[in-house]
Every structure is written in structure tokens, then in C-alpha cells.
Amino acid sequence: MAVRLDGAALAARLKAQIREEAAALSRPPMLAVVLAGEDPASQIYVRGKERDCAECGIRTRTHRLPAAVSQAELLALIDQLNRDADVDGVLVQLPLPEGLDPRPVLHALSPEKDVDCFHPLNAGLLALGEPRFLPCTPAGVLELLDAYDVPIQGRHCLVIGRSHLVGRPLAQLLTARDGTVTLCHSRTENLPALTRQADILVSAAGRRGLVTADMVKPGAAVIDVSMNRAPDGKLSGDVDFPAVEPAAGFLTPVPGGVGPMTRACLLQNVLRAARLRRR
Ligand code: NAP
């Protein structure tokens, strides 16, 4: 039976540490959040981030903008936050309302305040192995593997999904840790033959039921990043949890696995941004 990788418990420990470190700074860190439009999921995510920050002694300031905000107004706000000496980190909640292009907005963000690690400069530094910030979800996956002493060096790590948000940067981080990485996507041929070779199997495809028991090498660590919302509101990942649990060595639940770790790693980045700016 697989050991459950308890992201909720680990995130709580990390948050306690972050709270202590934030309290030791001369001035508490400040995260500015930009929330445009009325997307209900985004409202919930932002409230969660505000709560997480409050628990850790990190101040937040949320800028709520109407869905009709123009690209120019959004860029003007980013410019203002870039220059605001009290603001350590800036988070632009995605997706932006229809008609707004997120790229110029994310590219306009000061790289020093880019706590989501979306700016091209920060993505480039990560690719070069000299990260300023670690992207939150990939960093959370690594923290989980490390906390449960799952070895990465020399192991075959297979990541399903090549998005700039999750799969691609995770493949880079696993490579930097000397894993042997296979990066798969929707055009990958014979996915099960590949996944059966993986010591660490990460699924970030956003496809419920994609990873079945016959795709898992016995004893493998299986990390389910995905959050698929069923019509009845129930959350599930890509992995057929009950079928995979007896075969895998380690397995993340959904919810309670990678999700809380992503949130904790955002707080780590805000703390890091505050430290870098106080040097
Ligand atoms: P995304 O941008 O939609 O990327 C999905 C990736 O999966 C793409 O590379 C796609 O391939 C690949 N893919 C889709 N179907 C596939 C299949 N049948 N076989 C193999 N590969 C397949 O999604 P994302 O933003 O990376 O997010 C992925 C999932 O993680 C979502 O469920 C999201 O909600 C979740 N997520 C969770 C957290 C967390 O904190 N737990 C954080 C972020 C995201 P192509 O490139 O060929 O299209």
C-alpha cells in the first residue's frame, strides 16, 4: 500500500517556519494581488491566498478591478506596484477577463517582485539553473518528494504535461536534481509503455482517469498535480487513486497533496522577495 504524501501536513509545517522567518524581518513582507473581473474560482483562490498570508504574518493588498478594465489601466497599475517601495511581491491572478492579453502584463512586472516566477527573465534564470524564484507548483512537488526521502538522483522521472506553469519547469528542476527526465504530452505515443518505466511519475495533464494502475511501475512515487472539477463540484486528479494505491510506493491525494504545497511555496517566494529587497 502506497505511503500517502500528505501535502496539507507538510504545508502547515512550512507555513509555521515562514511565519517565524517573516517575523524576524525588520518590516513584514507585503504581497500585492491584482484581481480583475468576477471569475468565481479566482475569487476563491485570492481569498485563500489572503488567508495564507495572514497566517504567516505577510501583509496583502488586493487590487480589485472591473472585468471591463483596459490593458492600459492594468499596465499602469503594474507600473505603480513595481515602483511602490512597500510592495515586495506582485501576483496577477489568472485568467484575466476575456479580451486582455496576460503576456504583456506578466512581462511588465518587475522580475524582483515576480513571486509566481512567470517573468521571462525568471523563467530564463530557472532554465540556466540559477533561479531567483522557484515556480510554486514544481517547487511544491520537489518539497514533497524530499520530505518523504524519495530519491531523485539517477531515477527515471516522467512528467505528463508540458505547460509553462507546471510540466516544463518541473522537468527542469528534476533534471537539475540529476533525475533522468521524460517529458510527455498529448502527442506522446504509447504513454503507458513509458510511464511503466518511471520511478517518479508526475501527472499534470488535467485529465481525470488518465493514470490507471497498469501504467504504474510497482513501488513508484506517483504525484498527481491535476485538479479536475466534476459537474457535481467534486475535485479529483488524473490518477485512479483507489486502483493505483496498492501498487505505488508513494501517492499524493487530491485534494490535500500538491495543492497546499503550491500555496506554501508562494509564501516562500514572497518571503524570499522581501529578503532580497531588504539586502
Ligand atoms: P495545461 O496548460 O492545460 O497543460 C496540460 C498539459 O497536459 C499539456 O502539455 C497537454 O499536452 C498535456 N496533456 C493533456 N492531455 C493529455 C493526455 N491525454 N496525455 C498526455 N498529455 C496530455 O494545464 P496546466 O496549467 O499545466 O495544469 C495541469 C493540471 O494541473 C490542471 O488540472 C490544473 O488545474 C492543475 N494544477 C494544479 C495545481 C496545484 O497546485 N495542484 C497548480 C497548477 C495547475 P499538449 O501540450 O500536447 O497540449
Side-chain angles (χ1 to χ4, degrees):
M1 211 57 158
V3 171
R4 282 195 193 202
L5 299 175
D6 188 343
L10 178 58
R13 289 204 295 279
L14 283 178
K15 280 163 74 175
Q17 212 175 310
I18 293 165
R19 184 166 52 236
E20 248 177 59
E21 292 177 32
L25 293 177
S26 53
R27 177 169 56 83
M30 157 67 93
L31 173 68
V33 179
V34 178
L35 174 58
E38 305 292 332
D39 178 58
S42 292
Q43 309 274 341
I44 294 171
Y45 289 141
V46 166
R47 273 201 296 277
K49 287 166 190 172
E50 289 168 339
R51 240 189 345 260
D52 288 342
C53 285
E55 284 173 28
C56 292
I58 294 172
R59 294 171 296 147
T60 53
R61 193 207 292 161
T62 300
H63 296 262
R64 292 173 199 277
L65 305 170
V69 65
S70 70
Q71 191 95 23
E73 286 167 322
L74 205 47
L75 287 172
L77 174 59
I78 298 294
D79 182 50
Q80 179 198 319
L81 296 173
N82 284 346
R83 287 186 283 107
D84 188 331
D86 193 36
V87 171
D88 295 304
V90 179
L91 183 153
V92 180
Q93 184 64 43
L94 300 178
L96 291 178
E98 220 167 300
L100 293 177
D101 184 353
R103 277 169 305 180
V105 177
L106 298 175
H107 294 189
L109 210 63
S110 159
E112 285 82 25
K113 299 188 179 186
D114 170 38
V115 288
D116 261 334
C117 198
F118 287 162
H119 191 281
L121 183 67
N122 288 327
L125 286 172
L126 177 73
L128 292 172
E130 305 161 27
R132 181 198 326 249
F133 297 113
L134 293 177
C136 302
T137 302
V141 170
L142 255 66
E143 291 269 7
L144 260 181
L145 292 171
D146 288 342
Y148 285 84
D149 293 324
V150 177
I152 297 171
Q153 188 179 359
R155 301 301 163 109
H156 184 189
C157 310
L158 186 141
V159 180
I160 309 175
R162 58 177 163 180
S163 73
H164 292 292
L165 181 66
V166 185
R168 222 174 273 247
L170 178 57
Q172 288 169 344
L173 288 179
L174 289 166
T175 304
R177 291 282 300 273
D178 295 325
T180 302
V181 179
T182 303
L183 185 56
C184 299
H185 45 78
S186 67
R187 307 295 169 90
T188 296
E189 289 183 8
N190 205 353
L191 183 66
L194 296 171
T195 59
R196 276 195 287 273
Q197 299 171 32
D199 303 302
I200 296 174
L201 168 56
V202 183
S203 191
R207 297 281 181 276
R208 177 195 310 277
L210 177 68
V211 178
T212 50
D214 61 311
M215 291 168 70
V216 174
K217 179 178 177 177
V222 180
I223 310 289
D224 195 347
V225 173
S226 294
M227 296 196 295
N228 306 305
R229 183 84 57 187
D232 65 1
K234 211 173 157 237
L235 203 62
S236 69
D238 292 346
V239 177
D240 180 351
F241 190 95
V244 167
E245 196 176 23
F250 300 87
L251 180 58
T252 53
V254 178
V258 177
M261 293 304 299
T262 297
R263 287 166 60 167
C265 288
L266 171 69
L267 302 171
Q268 271 180 336
N269 279 348
V270 178
L271 181 64
R272 183 164 168 71
R275 281 214 182 104
L276 289 173
R277 298 186 64 254
R278 280 162 186 62
R279 267 190 193 155

